[in-house]
Every structure is written in C-alpha cells, then in structure tokens.
Amino acid sequence: MFDPLNQNGDDEIDFSEKNLFEGLPVDEICKNTVDFPEEEFKKPEKGEGEKGAVWVARMVPDGYVSAHANQARITTFPLEGKTSISSDKMNKIYDPNITTVYSKDVISFAKEKGFYPQDGKNKDFSFSDTYAPVDFSGARACEIRVWAFFNAVNPDMAQYWDYATGRNIQRDSKGYATNRMPLWIKPSEKVDVMQVMDFMRDHLEGTELDMSKDMGAGPYECPYRWRPMSFKVDGKEYVHERATATQQTGFTFVAQCRSWLPDEIGGILWFGVDDAASSVYFPMYSAATEVPFAFAVGNGSMMEFTNKAAFWVFNQVTNFAYTRYNLIHPEIRAKQVALEKQYVNFVQMIDAGAKEMLAQDKESAIKFITDFSCRTGNHLVDTWRDFYGYLFCKFMDGNVKTAIPGEKNPKVEQPALPEWYLRMIIEQTGKKLEVVE
C-alpha cells in the first residue's frame, strides 16, 4: 500500500501488496497502489533548494491491515540489518526477509536541518514525530479516519478514541506522541472487497461525533458540512468533522490485487467518482487498454458540465440527496448495494472466461476484459443518469411521490419536519408565525 492520499482527499485501503510508504512533504505525493511487481513510486521532494526525498517504507505483515489519512503514521523503524535496508542497497529489495526500506539520509537530513538533535540516537528516531508531528488537527481530521476503519474491523479501538479526537495526545520528553494507534492491526475476521468499499463511506456513525446527529446536520440528518472546516464564535475556534466520506472527493478506488490469478486479470481497480458514500464502485481491470468514455479525460471538466460524464452524473444525484439526506440517501444505498453485488458476481464469470482465453490468445483476452470494463463503466453512468430522473421525480418540491399501480396520479406524502427543528424556528421567530384565532 502506498500510504499518502492524493490531493482530492480520497482515502484508500488496499489489502493486497502490503507496502506502506511515507515521505516528506505529503502534499507532493499522488496516491497510488502497488499493482505491478516493479512499479516505481513518485517520491516527494525535500523542499525548495534540496534534491531528492526522505521517506520510509514498511511491509504490513500478512493478516494485518493498515491505513493512512493525510497524517504521517510511521514512527520508529528498524535500522539496517536482516530485515531492513537503506536506499543505497536497493539491490536487496527482493530479499523476502526485507520488510523495511528507507532513504539513506532520512535521519541525517533531519539532524542537518535541526529537526532532530545532533546527539539523538538513530534507533530512537521517529519519522512522523520528526517530520510531521501529530497535533489536534492531524488527529481530529486525519487519524480519526484511520480510527474509524480500524474500529470497523477490530473491537479493541475504543482505547484510542481520546487520541483520535485530538482531545488527549500524550507526549514524552522529546515531544513524541506516546498514545498513538498501532501502525497496523489484525482484523477480527477476514475482510472482503465489498466491506472495504463500505469502509470508504464512513461518517463516524455510531460515535458521539456522528455527523448526522447534531444540529449541523439539519432536519434531514445530512452528514456533511460545507467548507471551511473551522470557524470562530466569540473568539473561540471550532471545527466541523472531516469524516472518511466527503463531498469534495474527485474520485476514489479500492485496488484489488489477486496474486493467485495471471497478471493480466489479477488486478482490478474498483473505481468510483464523487462522494464515496453515494458513488458506485465498478470493476476496471488494470490490464485494460482503454477507459470508458464516461470516465475519459476530455469528457467535461470542472467548469464544463455534461451529462455524459460520470463525474457530473454522480454529482447530480449526490447533491440532490444532500438536500433531504435521510429520505433520498436510503434509495441511493439500495441501488448502490445491488449494483456492486452484481459487479462482484460478474467479475467471477469474466475471470473464468479471460483465464481460458489467455491460454489461447493473450491479445483477445486483454480485449475481452477491456470491453467488459468499458461497457460496465458506461452502462453504470447510463443507469445513474436515469436514476437521477427517478429521484428527482419522486422527491421534487419537498414531496415524496409513490406510484400507484393502475393509477395516473401517485400517492403524495409531505413528511413533517422534526419537532426539535420546529421548536428552533419558533425560538428564532417568536410570535411572527403564530396563527391568530
């Protein structure tokens, strides 16, 4: 797993090639996953006037999972030895005993720049605490997303809640945080690809910070807060939560790397655009030679709307749902689950067919999986475009309309606003709205 996030703020969890990479500065890094045996990482630069990068990469043990959300998490790490090498010994990278690799000057550069004491012991050097110390915002906006994922797969994470919320970051004499979460944990049970998709959709549900449960969610329990994330009232600073699922996501994906299959069909990017909570992940084989037109570069842009582009079609549905979330999103969720289950089943059949074809004609097999990926992506966008029409018709003007078989006109309901919200209106308006007998 390539650890930092991309600039769109999209989280990624990958359980296949388990390599965790962190470098400085993180804003120079593009998100990626290890999908090919000899993929090269784009390492971040040290800064203006400096050449090269400082970084650490660690292998996540088999049976464990790790995650990252814009806050460096690798702390101390084993120095050169049987399981660890520095970057000037990369010829040993394929030694199965090697589980840690780091830039040869990761510690000396910190000492040179005054980030780490000259007399500090190399064995005590912490990458994150030196280059990106965790503070309130690093915990509350970043580490809490890691906590949400860890908590979903392991029941022992409650002990880290105060740390993840930024309320209690304990430090030693060096200023290093001492109550951080583990770099990786063991799930209580095996995790499948559809569960991973859902981990991307978290809004801190089930916690005291559940974004659908405070006044900021409005009467329709919308678990989103528009930017900026921080604000001041009477000179005191406050924050809105930054959950895993977020409205400004450009794209998001789950990388599934299946080493037991031939390389040509082993890699799949389950790809989606816009907010992961309302998106649908479709399978894009990594060996495909084309992308679906609906997802192609040049089909629309950030300031050029077209209902032929996946980004805009999904944004139409999602932004409509934000207006009355607890009414509209359940319909999205049902459609989302049905489609993703269907795609998982399709992949099993495509895998079998492609594997047979590979034995006879590699070129035809690649064309086969390319055609499947493109047709699936384009059909998904067509489906979602029609789905927007259905939702708009059903929920327009604050009503909820349900078709009645054999009848021209639907059943029309007008759900009442919750009492707490109505009371707030009266508290704000006084007698202005009162009915006079």
Side-chain angles (χ1 to χ4, degrees), residues 178-335:
T178 59
N179 59 332
R180 300 179 70 148
M181 295 180 288
L183 184 57
W184 44 66
I185 65 168
K186 190 176 185 64
S188 56
E189 58 185 31
K190 280 192 173 184
V191 178
D192 65 34
V193 70
M194 290 192 68
Q195 288 176 291
V196 179
M197 295 174 189
D198 281 347
F199 296 148
M200 310 288 274
R201 294 166 172 150
D202 187 82
H203 304 102
L204 300 172
E205 287 91 349
T207 76
E208 63 182 285
L209 301 181
D210 186 334
M211 295 177 69
S212 68
K213 299 304 182 185
D214 63 57
M215 189 175 293
Y220 297 107
E221 300 180 328
C222 183
Y224 297 90
R225 305 294 183 270
W226 313 138
R227 296 304 186 255
M229 287 178 60
S230 62
F231 58 97
K232 288 185 177 181
V233 175
D234 297 331
K236 185 173 289 189
E237 188 170 6
Y238 299 86
V239 296
H240 292 305
E241 306 305 335
R242 181 10 176 138
T244 306
T246 186
Q247 67 273 11
Q248 75 274 8
T249 300
F251 63 87
T252 171
F253 62 84
V254 174
Q256 188 179 22
C257 308
R258 305 169 300 170
S259 60
W260 60 90
L261 291 171
D263 288 348
E264 292 80 4
I265 60 176
I268 291 181
L269 291 184
W270 293 90
F271 194 85
V273 292
D274 192 32
D275 177 2
S278 296
S279 190
V280 175
Y281 290 105
F282 81 95
M284 191 76 204
Y285 279 86
S286 59
T289 57
E290 299 176 28
V291 298
F293 172 74
F295 294 82
V297 173
N299 180 13
S301 69
M302 189 59 71
M303 296 302 294
E304 180 188 1
F305 174 86
T306 168
N307 68 356
K308 295 179 175 61
F311 176 80
W312 287 115
V313 170
F314 273 87
N315 266 278
Q316 279 186 299
V317 171
T318 305
N319 278 268
F320 185 51
Y322 292 155
T323 64
R324 280 175 292 157
Y325 199 80
N326 59 4
L327 294 175
I328 300 175
H329 184 73
E331 301 243 5
I332 295 175
R333 175 61 177 165
K335 191 83 166 176

